[in-house]
Structure formats: structure tokens, C-alpha cells
Amino acid sequence: MGQRDRQKQQTRERVVAAARELFDEIGYENTTVRMIALRAGVSVGSVFTTFDSKVAVFNHILFERFEALFAELDRILPYLKGSAADRLCSIMSIAYGVEGRDLKMMMAHLAASHGWPPEIEAQSRQRMARLEALFRAALDHGVTSGELCGDLDLDLCVEMLRNLYLSNYRKAFYDRLDAQALSAHAERQVAIFIRGLRPEPLTAEG
Amino acid sequence: MKPTPLRTPFEPVESPANPPLNRRQAAKARTRERVMAAARELFMAQGYEGATIRDIARHAGMSTGAVFASFSDKADLFEAVFGHDVEILAQAFRDGAGRAGDVLARLSAMAELGYDQTWDSRAMMAVAAARDWTTPAEDDARARARSRAFIGLIAEVLRDGVRTGEIGDRGDLRLTAETLWDLFIAGYGHALREKADAAQTADRLAAQARLVVTGLKAA
């Protein structure tokens, strides 16, 4: 790497670090490129030579976060054991553990999802699709093992889990839940989702 | 079993004053209406953060100052516009919950009427759900109180089901009601992404409610 490239790389890292701090402190919407430049100690022009826009910086940070999340999931997945509920809870708990670290980033991501440029929207969907695939695999496992009924609508179930997973960020923000509390909340939801609210067969007939 | 009468602590909609308006007041009310109509269009097209007061003023064909004469800030304006949708949804939920039938039938009716009555505002619902976490604390509190009221309505229906022995209560009715509310709201975003209509969205939610109510467990 030439000196020029090294410098460029350094600028990029400083911009990312500054943006990350600002997004967390005052939120994505309130952060301007000028503020990022000021915090990073570089010129506004330098920010734009490394990223096209504020959205691009944001997307880069999200990308890094998702990479960290999937690295963690890939590491843990081979060890996942137990029922479909256990597996789903583990996946959510890992996800909340990584994403919950900067909850505000996630909230900003969800808040800004209305009006993302199409290419970023597409990337965002791709990442969510990876998580959905994991939910699906856990459900599949439950069906195969006979724990879950064979004729369940997998698409619908995956969509539900995805919606629950995402809605819980708002819950976490409202109720100031940390990753652990959020995982516990998701665990209760998954329990309902899996076993339903029907009375036990015995009492229902009795 | 007769459904429990439902009460909800929704804030009353701000309605135009009852006594006849004088000319000045009438003009002010008209301005307010125009601003709200323009704001609704822009919020739905561009999201909360994307729609600026300047754009809204221009869209309404008036000055930024005229907008501020009617609304203290963007949050205030959003609240006025969205409050209307909330009232409509609340009425739809009350009507649905008041239907005869089992838990699932009543929940499905709430979803059906809810989506149907608010369908033209579905983008508004999605925008409100996604509103930035940077909203001032008082708006945050308002949004939460609103959610609680809807969740309360759903919980009433579930409690009726417990009373009749239709469903069991393992101490998670509130959580279940919250979850159903989250799923209902998520339905708007899903519909916008997938270009689904109100009936499809309601069916999809009813299917989700069915899963929640009956459970996934193999018999």
C-alpha cells in the first residue's frame, strides 16, 4: 500500500469512527457530514472522497455490524442444540447481543428505512434474509423432529419471527431494555409462538 | 358470551370549535386544514425526517411562517395529522372487538376493520411506526400511551377468551397482546413492500393471530 492509499485508509477509518460516535450520541438524522468531518479532524471534502454521502457512511457501519453478527452466528451455529424454541431463542439472543450494543444505530436504521436509496434497501434486505434463513432452519428442524406440526406455513412463521425480532428494538428503546432483557422478552414471545395459548388438551376436554 | 364493553383512554381529536367561527377563525381553520393535507402527502411520500416544514409550506402554497402560525413545530404537525388516523384505527379496533365470536374471530375482525379503515393512510402508519428515536421525550410518551391503549383493547379480547376457558392464561396475556399489536403494525410495512392490499394483509394477520392463539405445537 502506497503512502497515499495508507492516508486514504486512515481518513476512512477516522471518518467511520467519528460517524459511529455521532450516530450514537445524537442520532443519524441529526448528524451532518460537516459534524463528522469536524469530529474526525478532516475536511468535508475528505469525507466525500471516501464516501459518497452520509447514507453511505451509515451503510458501511451497518455492514460492519452485520458482518460481526454473522461471524458470531456462524461460530455458534454448529453448537446449536435442542428444540426449535431453544434454537430460535439462541439466534435472537446472539443477534440482540451484537445489535443491542448500539441500539441507537439499529433504531436509526429502522427509522430511516423509509426512503433508503434502492441499493441500500436491497443490501439491507439481503442481510435480513440471512437472519430469516436461520429462523427457517430452526423451524425446519422442529418439523423434522416432530416437535412442530408438519403442515405449518413456514413463510408466515419466518415473517412473524422477523417482525417480532425487529419490533422488539422499539420495545427495547421505549423500555430501556439491555440486550439481556431484550433476549428474555424474545424468549417469552417465542415460547408463546411455539406452544400457543390453548389450554392443555386435558383441561380443554375436562 | 357477550364481549366486555371496551373503554380506551384515547385523546379526543381536536375538532373545530363548536360555536360558529368568525371570518378570521374560519380562515385560520382553513389554513390549518391545508397545511395538514400537504403535510400528510409529504410525510407519506418522504417519511417523517424527509418531509421538511419548508417543503410542506411550499406544497400547501403558503409561507413557512404561515405553517408556524398554526403548528409549533413538525412534531406538533405530525401529531395533528396522525392523530386523525389513530382515532379511525381506534374506532375500527373497538368495532372489531365488539363483534360476536371467539377470540380469533374478534382479533381477525379487528385486523380486517383496522386495515380497511386506515388503508389510504397505510404509509402514514408505517412512517409513524418507524419514526426516528430522536423524537422529543413528550412525543415518545404520547406514542407509547397510544400503543398501550391499542394493546389494552387486544388484551381485553384475550381476557374474555380466558374467562370462557377458550384460551389459557400462563401470565403472558399482556405480552401476547403486545406481540399481536407489533405484528399488526408490522403488517403495514409488509404491505407497502409487497404491494399487498388491505384484505390480503388482514388475512395474513389473521393467520398469524391463529398461530399465536392455537400454537404451533403438534397435537
Side-chain angles (χ1 to χ4, degrees), chain A residues 111-139:
Chain A
S113 58
H114 209 83
W116 280 119
E119 69 276 13
I120 290 179
E121 168 76 32
Q123 283 183 43
S124 182
R125 273 198 195 210
Q126 264 175 26
R127 297 172 195 142
M128 201 41 76
R130 285 178 72 180
L131 203 58
E132 286 169 10
L134 295 177
F135 290 152
R136 189 178 293 268
L139 291 170

Side-chain angles (χ1 to χ4, degrees), chain A residues 10-103:
Chain A
Q10 269 172 10
T11 304
R12 200 176 158 87
E13 280 164 18
R14 270 157 66 182
V15 166
V16 169
R20 195 191 283 275
E21 283 174 22
L22 284 165
F23 292 159
D24 189 52
E25 286 166 23
I26 58 169
Y28 171 76
E29 293 298 339
N30 295 329
T31 301
T32 64
V33 171
R34 255 173 66 94
M35 291 159 82
I36 296 173
L38 201 68
R39 174 80 60 110
V42 303
S43 69
V44 173
S46 304
V47 174
F48 282 116
T49 56
T50 49
F51 292 100
D52 293 344
S53 60
K54 184 173 77 160
V55 160
V57 185
F58 188 67
N59 194 47
H60 174 79
I61 295 174
L62 278 178
F63 177 77
E64 284 188 343
R65 279 160 43 88
F66 270 91
E67 287 305 300
L69 170 60
F70 283 105
E72 186 67 7
L73 282 169
D74 287 343
R75 194 175 71 75
I76 306 251
L77 279 180
Y79 304 104
L80 276 190
K81 293 261 171 353
S83 65
D86 289 342
R87 285 160 197 254
L88 290 172
C89 291
S90 300
I91 295 165
M92 287 207 192
S93 162
I94 294 165
Y96 288 138
V98 175
E99 309 266 55
R101 269 177 228 156
D102 14 26
L103 192 54

Side-chain angles (χ1 to χ4, degrees), chain A residues 85 89 92-93 168 182-192, chain B residues 175:
Chain A
C89 291
M92 287 207 192
S93 162
N168 282 346
L182 194 54
S183 299
H185 176 75
E187 199 165 312
R188 291 179 65 205
Q189 283 177 318
V190 168
I192 295 170
Chain B
L175 179 78

Side-chain angles (χ1 to χ4, degrees), chain B residues 108-128:
Chain B
S108 303
M110 290 163 88
E112 188 197 323
L113 294 174
Y115 286 130
D116 183 66
Q117 308 282 303
T118 56
W119 201 242
D120 291 342
S121 312
R122 60 195 180 283
M124 198 67 201
M125 306 300 289
V127 166

Side-chain angles (χ1 to χ4, degrees), chain B:
Chain B
M1 164 166 170
K2 214 169 159 276
T4 315
L6 300 152
R7 313 155 306 274
T8 41
F10 291 103
E11 292 169 39
V13 205
E14 204 175 304
S15 54
N18 286 333
L21 305 177
N22 64 32
R23 238 172 51 175
R24 227 184 113 123
Q25 284 167 329
K28 209 176 158 183
R30 272 202 306 276
T31 303
R32 212 179 138 85
E33 289 298 316
R34 250 167 70 192
V35 172
M36 280 168 65
R40 169 176 291 276
E41 282 180 24
L42 287 187
F43 284 139
M44 295 212 287
Q46 294 167 12
Y48 180 76
E49 294 298 338
T52 65
I53 291 274
R54 255 169 68 98
D55 292 341
I56 292 169
R58 197 177 304 139
H59 197 58
M62 55 184 70
S63 68
T64 311
V67 173
F68 283 119
S70 303
F71 300 96
S72 58
D73 55 19
K74 189 159 81 167
D76 185 30
L77 175 53
F78 185 82
E79 200 52 41
V81 173
F82 186 54
H84 179 68
D85 301 318
V86 169
E87 269 304 310
I88 288 173
L89 182 60
Q91 189 56 49
F93 262 45
R94 282 190 291 258
D95 291 345
R99 291 254 180 105
D102 58 12
V103 170
L104 188 58
R106 292 168 70 197
L107 291 176
S108 303
M110 290 163 88
E112 188 197 323
L113 294 174
Y115 286 130
D116 183 66
Q117 308 282 303
T118 56
W119 201 242
D120 291 342
S121 312
R122 60 195 180 283
M124 198 67 201
M125 306 300 289
V127 166
R131 224 177 124 189
D132 198 356
W133 59 271
T134 50
T135 49
E138 63 270 25
D139 295 326
D140 192 53
R142 241 188 319 210
R144 297 176 58 161
R146 219 162 21 215
S147 294
R148 269 200 297 274
F150 284 105
I151 291 164
L153 272 171
I154 299 171
E156 290 271 354
V157 173
L158 295 176
R159 268 193 291 276
D160 282 344
V162 172
R163 247 176 258 135
T164 58
E166 187 192 340
I167 55 174
D169 179 10
R170 293 177 168 87
D172 44 19
L173 283 196
R174 188 78 197 170
L175 179 78
T176 307
E178 270 180 35
T179 302
L180 286 168
W181 170 244
D182 284 343
L183 291 171
F184 176 81
I185 289 299
Y188 287 107
H190 186 262
L192 287 168
R193 282 191 301 274
E194 307 296 329
K195 313 229 181 315
D197 66 24
Q200 288 164 335
T201 307
D203 284 349
R204 198 129 183 100
L205 197 81
Q208 298 184 32
R210 179 186 299 278
L211 281 183
V212 170
V213 173
T214 43
L216 283 168
K217 220 166 185 174

